[in-house]
């Protein structure tokens, strides 16, 4: 039997809404032939940005968008992406398939996108191949209200008012595509760059240092020891995948691969605990945020597509995995202040996929929509006893759950059943609660690899859930096999 006790009047921290952040890189068909279709496109757009994508992302309350990379960020020179489009240089995107980048989507277009989405920009600057001056000047161009050459250049390019910028990345994966540096070298470089990274409108800038990946605890140790005083956030990247070489398909897998991938996702908890423990030694007040600005599944590309474009499909397995991962982030909300799933459109674990004028919502999108009430809410203390879901001689908990209370007092309980074979009966105890109503939705499918396609775009979508019954301050829930359930208790 699975049991949960939720203390509805308790407070286990605030789930920062930025944990539900996203990431859009100049990679494959994320920006070009994705978000950006250009003003002259027959696809409905606003100043070149696809309307259907904006509408879909607004619906999940996208809180922030990280741009322009990823690896692309350390090869990107912002001046290439301003001014009349016909004058912008064409150059090679050497990280992602050597395709020609025409720079039609640059600073103004990105800020317009954030404006249309109603989300905060999170810009990642170039350390690997850029200069301190280049990064500092970008900030002046973006944020200065007065009469400087850079602010006037911004005005000449159509933006009178300075933009508000809070989140600023100082390089990306500087242990790899961002310059192949040692932690000790990058820590010094970080301090040099960060010294000159400021808002020119007197508001605070939240500087995010290029952080470790996976279990590189040495990187965290060095960065925290050498540079914690000059950073507000430290990034962390962790992707869930079966194996790096010869990656496995997104839609064709057996149960052992379903199990392995979810186990890999749960490993996020260990990684966060270990990195947080190091950070605690240098920053016991938890001022510095751990910013998981790349996470999600990484499968083989869809057959027939450019391997450098990282275009993958997205099944029910990806949605369950995302739900489980977000629950892990909630449990670390004292340290995890932001997270960005990779990537928003047509790349890796995307929210939406496009084909010409058509757009489909992925199962992961629906999961984000079902969880959106957690954004900014108070995390409720919860004790979960779960049965095991075993495969071979390994086992993981079958049930993952999280509950939060929003400003109106409504409780959102989200639960995932990781077992693809068996419904999970869950007895939920809410001591002292005066709950009178429960409504819910469920996301599941006939098969583990249930998927939305352009031919059948609604195969996986949330439907009303009638498997929860209230009995005083107790709740009995029967979760279908391989499902994500969101319940609102009032
Ligand atoms: O998200 C794809 C790539 O993965 C990013 O560009 C890079 O930062 C990471 O290695």
């Amino acid at each position: 039997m699975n049991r949960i006790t939720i203390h509805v009047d308790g407070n286990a921290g605030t789930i920062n809404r930025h944990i539900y952040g996203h990431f859009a890189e100049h990679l494959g068909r994320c920006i070009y032939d994705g978000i950006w279709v250009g003003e002259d496109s027959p696809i409905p757009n606003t100043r070149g940005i696809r309307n259907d994508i904006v509408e879909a992302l607004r619906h999940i309350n996208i809180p922030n968008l990280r741009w322009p990379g990823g690896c692309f960020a350390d090869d990107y020179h912002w001046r290439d992406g301003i001014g009349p489009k016909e004058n912008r240089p064409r150059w090679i995107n050497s990280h992602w398939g050597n395709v020609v980048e025409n720079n039609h989507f640059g600073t103004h277009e990105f800020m317009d996108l954030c404006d249309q989405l109603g989300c905060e920009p999170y810009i990642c600057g170039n350390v690997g191949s850029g200069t301190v001056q280049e990064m500092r000047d970008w900030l002046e161009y973006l944020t200065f209200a007065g009469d400087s050459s850079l602010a006037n250049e911004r005005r000449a390019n159509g933006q009178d008012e300075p933009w508000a910028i809070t989140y600023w990345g100082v390089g990306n994966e500087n242990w790899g595509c961002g310059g192949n540096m040692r932690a000790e070298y990058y820590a010094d470089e970080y301090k040099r760059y960060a010294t000159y990274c400021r808002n020119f409108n007197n508001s605070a800038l939240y500087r995010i240092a290029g952080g470790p990946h996976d279990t590189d605890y040495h990187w965290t140790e060095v960065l925290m020891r050498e540079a914690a005083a000059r950073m507000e956030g430290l990034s962390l990247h962790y992707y869930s995948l079966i194996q790096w070489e010869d990656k496995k398909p997104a839609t064709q897998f057996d149960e052992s691969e379903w199990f392995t991938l979810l186990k890999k996702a749960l490993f996020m908890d260990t990684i966060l605990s270990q990195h947080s423990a190091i950070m605690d030694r240098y920053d016991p007040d938890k001022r510095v945020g751990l910013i998981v600005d790349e996470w999600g599944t990484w499968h083989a590309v869809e057959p027939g597509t450019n391997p450098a474009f990282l275009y993958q499909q997205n099944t029910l397995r990806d949605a369950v995995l995302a739900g489980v991962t977000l629950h892990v982030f909630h449990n670390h909300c004292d340290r995890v202040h932001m997270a960005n799933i990779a990537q928003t459109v047509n790349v890796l674990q995307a929210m939406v996929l496009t084909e010409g004028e058509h757009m489909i919502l992925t199962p992961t999108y629906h999961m984000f929509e079902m969880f959106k009430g957690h954004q900014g809410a108070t995390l409720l203390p919860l004790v979960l006893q779960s049965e095991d879901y075993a495969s071979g001689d390994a086992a993981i908990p079958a049930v993952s759950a999280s509950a939060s209370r929003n400003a109106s007092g409504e409780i959102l309980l989200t639960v995932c059943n990781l077992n693809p074979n068996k419904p999970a009966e869950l007895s939920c105890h809410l001591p002292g609660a005066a709950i009178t109503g429960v409504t819910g939705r469920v996301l599941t499918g006939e098969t583990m690899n249930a998927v939305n396609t352009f031919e059948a775009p609604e195969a996986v979508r949330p439907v009303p859930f009638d498997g929860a019954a209230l009995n005083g301050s107790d709740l009995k829930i029967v979760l279908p096999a391989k499902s994500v359930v969101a319940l609102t208790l009032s």
Side-chain angles (χ1 to χ4, degrees):
M1 185 64 166
N2 305 289
R3 287 196 180 79
I4 307 188
T5 303
I6 303 172
H7 298 283
V8 295
D9 295 321
N11 182 341
T14 299
I15 301 169
N16 196 314
R17 71 190 177 98
H18 288 295
I19 285 176
Y20 285 78
H22 295 265
F23 169 38
E25 179 168 11
H26 289 234
L27 192 178
R29 296 172 50 242
C30 184
I31 300 290
Y32 302 108
D33 198 22
I35 291 167
W36 177 257
V37 289
E39 294 92 336
D40 300 330
S41 170
I43 298 171
N45 69 83
T46 302
R47 295 178 294 279
I49 295 165
R50 264 184 95 132
N51 293 344
D52 51 1
I53 292 182
V54 168
E55 193 189 329
L57 295 177
R58 284 183 70 92
H59 186 60
I60 56 173
N61 292 352
I62 173 174
N64 71 72
L65 186 61
R66 177 175 184 247
W67 173 85
C71 294
F72 182 83
D74 283 279
D75 204 15
Y76 181 64
H77 301 283
W78 67 271
R79 297 201 66 96
D80 293 348
I82 57 169
K85 294 202 174 59
E86 61 278 13
N87 297 340
R88 298 188 191 176
R90 293 165 63 81
W91 62 278
I92 307 292
N93 183 340
S94 58
H95 281 295
W96 304 116
N98 285 331
V99 295
V100 172
E101 159 72 55
N102 66 14
N103 280 300
H104 283 191
F105 190 89
T107 299
H108 290 250
E109 291 75 22
F110 173 66
M111 295 306 293
D112 187 17
L113 170 63
C114 291
D115 201 40
Q116 291 187 35
L117 292 171
C119 80
E120 290 215 39
Y122 166 17
I123 293 179
C124 185
N126 179 345
V127 170
S129 69
T131 65
V132 174
Q133 182 182 1
E134 182 183 4
M135 194 181 291
R136 175 235 169 265
D137 284 356
W138 199 1
L139 278 158
E140 182 179 325
Y141 182 90
L142 284 158
T143 65
F144 189 54
D147 178 20
S148 78
S149 300
L150 283 163
N152 289 336
E153 192 177 356
R154 182 192 69 231
R155 292 187 184 99
N157 287 332
Q159 178 67 25
D160 276 343
E161 292 300 314
W163 284 293
I165 304 284
T166 300
Y167 299 104
W168 191 264
V170 182
N172 168 74
E173 295 194 352
N174 303 92
W175 41 264
C177 63
N180 283 302
M181 304 175 199
R182 289 176 306 120
E184 293 76 5
Y185 182 81
Y186 173 72
D188 284 348
E189 284 291 276
Y190 172 79
K191 282 187 281 188
R192 197 162 71 90
Y193 276 76
T195 304
Y196 302 96
C197 285
R198 60 174 72 95
N199 263 322
F200 287 85
N201 57 13
N202 296 325
S203 67
L205 192 67
Y206 190 105
R207 296 160 302 180
I208 298 168
H213 66 105
D214 306 348
T215 56
D216 183 357
Y217 303 121
H218 173 72
W219 189 279
T220 299
E221 179 79 38
V222 173
L223 264 288
M224 290 304 291
R225 187 183 69 220
E226 301 297 330
R230 289 190 184 274
M231 69 174 76
E232 284 69 43
L234 177 68
S235 119
L236 167 69
H237 292 178
Y238 175 67
Y239 285 97
S240 302
L241 43 82
I242 308 260
Q243 59 196 36
W244 271 108
E245 296 306 320
D246 194 18
K247 294 199 182 64
K248 301 288 187 171
T251 56
Q252 301 304 316
F253 52 85
D254 59 20
E255 192 186 335
S256 76
E257 288 171 345
W258 162 282
F259 177 90
T260 303
L261 204 67
L262 291 175
K263 190 164 188 289
K264 297 264 178 147
L266 288 167
F267 189 59
M268 179 72 89
D269 185 52
T270 304
I271 293 177
L272 294 180
S273 299
Q274 300 291 325
H275 286 291
S276 297
I278 297 167
M279 293 176 81
D280 286 350
R281 282 198 273 111
Y282 296 97
D283 176 35
D285 296 336
K286 301 183 192 288
R287 183 189 61 82
V288 179
L290 188 54
I291 308 297
V292 191
D293 53 17
E294 289 187 29
W295 69 273
T297 52
W298 195 319
H299 306 298
V301 299
E302 284 301 293
T305 65
N306 186 332
F309 282 14
L310 310 185
Y311 177 76
Q312 69 187 38
Q313 253 292 4
N314 187 309
T315 68
L316 179 62
R317 178 177 62 164
D318 298 82
V320 174
L321 180 143
V324 164
T325 307
L326 285 161
H327 288 167
V328 172
F329 292 154
H330 292 181
N331 292 339
H332 287 272
C333 67
D334 57 344
R335 187 59 89 178
V336 177
H337 297 174
M338 182 193 283
N340 306 74
I341 187 167
Q343 298 193 7
T344 320
V345 180
N346 292 333
V347 170
L348 298 176
Q349 191 172 355
M351 298 296 117
V352 304
L353 302 176
T354 65
E355 223 175 70
E357 72 201 86
H358 304 291
M359 183 196 78
I360 56 172
L361 307 175
T362 63
T364 302
Y365 173 92
H366 290 303
M367 184 258 103
F368 265 73
E369 191 275 321
M370 290 165 73
F371 277 43
K372 69 182 176 183
H374 283 309
Q375 291 188 29
T378 301
L379 181 68
L380 299 179
L382 170 155
V383 180
L384 170 65
Q385 280 173 271
S386 170
E387 288 171 359
D388 276 351
Y389 162 42
S391 171
D393 51 11
I396 56 178
V399 174
S400 158
S402 192
S404 70
R405 190 182 56 243
N406 69 16
S408 333
E410 231 171 42
I411 293 168
L412 175 63
L413 169 62
T414 50
V415 194
C416 305
N417 182 4
L418 284 64
N419 191 324
N421 304 314
K422 193 172 133 196
E425 284 186 29
L426 183 61
S427 150
C428 181
H429 187 44
L430 303 148
I435 305 292
T436 52
V438 53
T439 57
R441 287 182 301 154
V442 58
L443 187 74
T444 187
E446 290 287 306
T447 55
M448 292 182 292
N449 61 350
V451 65
N452 291 335
T453 61
F454 289 91
E455 294 70 42
E458 303 224 330
V460 186
R461 67 189 167 84
V463 294
F465 178 65
D466 59 9
L470 258 181
N471 177 14
S473 64
D474 283 347
L475 195 56
K476 290 264 179 270
I477 310 170
V478 182
L479 302 160
K482 51 178 170 9
S483 67
V484 179
V485 167
L487 299 172
T488 303
L489 315 180
S490 48

